[in-house]
Amino acid sequence: MKKLNVNGKTVNFDGDEDTPLLWALREQLGLTGTKYGCGIAACGACTVHIDGAAVRSCVYPVGVVEDGEVITTIEGLSKEGDHPVQQAWAELDIPQCGYCQPGMMMAVSALLAENPEATDEDIDAQITNICRCGTFARVRKGIHLAKTKL
Ligand code: FES
Ligand code: FES
């Protein structure tokens, strides 16, 4: 039995600890905001935070999460959906189909927590999430707008 701290709650995971965190979140805990895209850490649809750092949960075994580490999913990013990144995303109407956007917002919020002055070069280096709808230009605008709301 593995204890996980997810979005401020302690939950028990009783499956195989080799299970990718993504499936523990989606299937055991019903937190379906985190998406499955590629399964090979390439697209970022499954991005969550562990102790504030962006992690691709499709390749992150549950057993690797250490006791006391805090997991945050898109459902726990803010209480009222009003994190600066969420506000910017709503204001600029960034999502198209929306599928990649929870992972995109988790990656961006981790970047801005670490680097509130992120430049285009920082964005290029660290936001490598893939959007099949091609929202990249709006995402970039959203990141710069979110910086003004931090
Ligand atoms: S589903 Fe995890 S990176 Fe694509
Ligand atoms: S908004 Fe459709 S995949 Fe990104």
Side-chain angles (χ1 to χ4, degrees), residues 60-74:
Y60 203 95
V62 170
V64 174
V65 180
E66 290 182 14
D67 288 348
E69 284 187 325
V70 173
I71 299 163
T72 308
T73 70
I74 188 69

Side-chain angles (χ1 to χ4, degrees), residues 35-46 56 58:
K35 301 301 189 220
Y36 173 75
C38 64
I40 55 169
C43 76
C46 64
R56 294 191 171 181
C58 67

